[in-house]
Amino acid sequence: MNSPPGSAVAITADEWQRAVASIEEAGTVCLACHVSPDGDALGSMLAFAQALRVLGKPFTASFGDAFVVPRILRFLPGLDLLTDPGDFPAEPDVMVTFDAASRDRLGSLAPNARKAREVIVLDHHASNTRFGTTHLVDPGAAATAAVTERLIDRLGVSLTHDMALGLYVGLVTDTGSFKYATTTPEVHALAGRLLATGIRPELVAREVWDRAPFGYLPVLSAALGRATLEPDVAGGLGMVWTTVTRADRAAYSLPYDLLEGVIDVVRRTDEAEVAVVFKEDDEGAWQVSTRSKGRVDVGMACVALGGGGHPTAAGFTLHGEVRHAVERLRELLAEIEVVTRT
């Protein structure tokens, strides 16, 4: 099978062969995606779990820390295949990770990965630390789902509707519904293959983007009401930032995992190249989302703050005061080279 353009260099033939052989020879395969999974992480893992089921290969699939599937992803097929992380094998023979750029992103399953005999890392983050023994890491891929689809194909499994749905959710969420610069002809070709299994894209869009309880509206209003525009940041390209507090959510009993879309509203600001949203979780930590329109690498800034991601979409966790993090972001964005576009 030929690899998509831009993929052959990122993942060698030897790595593909080693990954396939390890999975085929394993008695049980243990799957894990990153904590607080998004559509790409969970969708990819569930699709692969279903492929293993077709192969008749025993498996365990889970994710660490708060073992709660985000509400917007509870329509995904295969959720019944998930196992509580407390029941995950302590020393896996073969472990496959999805969309985790570092071992730490596996949360409470990081020690399991450290003790595994073989760790196959599936990812598309340029910041991946290559913490495994086999690395199916393609920074040129639009989503981990694209890498997962290639591995499923190499295992000789034909895509079912349910496998394709998980992969499609990963693809559309990580491309912003095909809005981001990562959307290539190959991405659309993959989407076409997935849709050919009978997926209804309008139903996926409704579940992922187009529904929320009424309480989301006043919480969003509060966040937008305190939004701050700093036009001099990032060499004069501008930054807009805001916060969503626990108190905001508590007033309307709004779960934390429904805040994912706030950044997509804030980033529309014409006067700001960079958008930042600080979201206070149930434990009092701030989960920080950043976005760039393409001229500033926010991934570099987030890595410096202990996080990671892509040049145009990244994040980090803050256990401190927002004002200090904003000050540090100003400094980091001043140091990052600006991409000039005509």
Side-chain angles (χ1 to χ4, degrees):
M1 189 191 79
N2 294 325
S3 298
S7 301
V9 174
I11 304 173
T12 68
D14 286 346
E15 287 171 315
W16 283 118
Q17 291 168 5
R18 177 171 176 171
V20 169
S22 295
I23 292 166
E24 290 178 340
E25 295 167 5
T28 299
V29 181
C30 296
L31 313 179
C33 63
H34 66 65
V35 296
S36 301
D38 55 12
D40 193 23
L42 188 60
S44 297
M45 183 173 73
L46 291 177
F48 196 73
Q50 292 170 85
L52 291 177
R53 185 168 59 177
V54 169
L55 291 171
K57 180 72 63 176
F59 64 86
T60 299
S62 191
F63 54 90
D65 297 332
F67 185 56
V68 178
V69 175
R71 283 164 177 77
I72 64 170
L73 298 178
R74 291 180 184 173
F75 72 100
L76 283 173
L79 294 179
D80 58 310
L81 303 177
L82 294 174
T83 299
D84 188 281
D87 297 325
F88 202 89
E91 298 183 15
D93 180 35
V94 174
M95 186 169 175
V96 185
T97 68
F98 297 83
D99 208 41
S102 67
R103 188 184 292 114
D104 290 345
R105 289 287 285 149
L106 299 173
S108 61
L109 293 181
N112 307 68
R114 190 174 288 107
K115 295 178 181 178
R117 179 186 65 82
E118 178 87 11
V119 178
I120 302 170
V121 177
L122 271 71
D123 193 24
H124 71 127
H125 293 91
S127 60
N128 191 282
T129 60
R130 303 182 76 83
F131 60 93
T133 54
T134 301
H135 300 97
L136 305 183
V137 179
D138 183 358
T144 294
V147 182
T148 304
E149 187 264 349
R150 281 140 59 190
L151 181 57
I152 290 173
D153 181 66
R154 281 170 168 78
L155 287 167
V157 178
S158 298
L159 291 177
T160 64
H161 169 275
D162 287 356
M163 288 180 215
L165 182 54
L167 296 174
Y168 183 77
V169 168
L171 193 63
V172 296
T173 52
D174 263 33
T175 59
S177 193
F178 309 110
K179 293 187 298 186
Y180 301 157
T182 52
T183 303
T184 62
E186 292 74 35
V187 165
H188 282 299
L190 173 56
R193 295 196 298 275
L194 299 175
L195 290 172
T197 65
I199 293 170
R200 294 181 59 185
E202 77 278 13
L203 297 183
V204 173
R206 171 168 168 73
E207 293 291 341
V208 175
W209 290 293
D210 297 338
R211 60 181 300 181
F214 175 78
Y216 178 78
L217 298 180
V219 170
L220 175 63
S221 176
L224 297 180
R226 64 172 73 100
T228 300
L229 175 65
E230 300 191 18
D232 295 330
V233 172
L237 295 177
M239 176 177 74
V240 59
W241 63 275
T242 191
T243 60
V244 185
T245 68
R246 277 190 294 180
D248 292 335
R249 294 190 292 110
Y252 298 94
S253 301
L254 190 74
Y256 168 81
D257 61 15
L258 292 181
L259 300 180
E260 191 67 28
V262 175
I263 187 69
D264 294 318
V265 179
V266 176
R267 70 188 294 269
R268 296 177 184 175
T269 305
D270 282 340
E271 297 88 347
E273 166 71 19
V274 175
V276 186
V277 175
F278 295 81
K279 302 168 291 184
E280 189 177 17
D281 64 23
D282 293 336
E283 285 70 48
W286 295 96
Q287 304 300 331
V288 188
S289 298
T290 71
R291 297 290 186 271
S292 164
K293 293 172 183 173
R295 299 184 64 187
V296 174
D297 188 341
V298 292
M300 290 179 61
C302 289
V303 167
L305 290 165
H310 305 285
T312 57
F316 62 95
T317 298
L318 171 66
H319 297 281
E321 294 188 34
V322 169
R323 63 186 180 91
H324 293 317
V326 172
E327 290 172 3
R328 183 64 180 135
L329 275 170
R330 293 190 194 107
E331 296 170 356
L332 290 167
L333 293 174
E335 298 169 358
I336 294 172
E337 182 178 358
V338 173
V339 176
T340 302
R341 290 188 171 179
T342 57

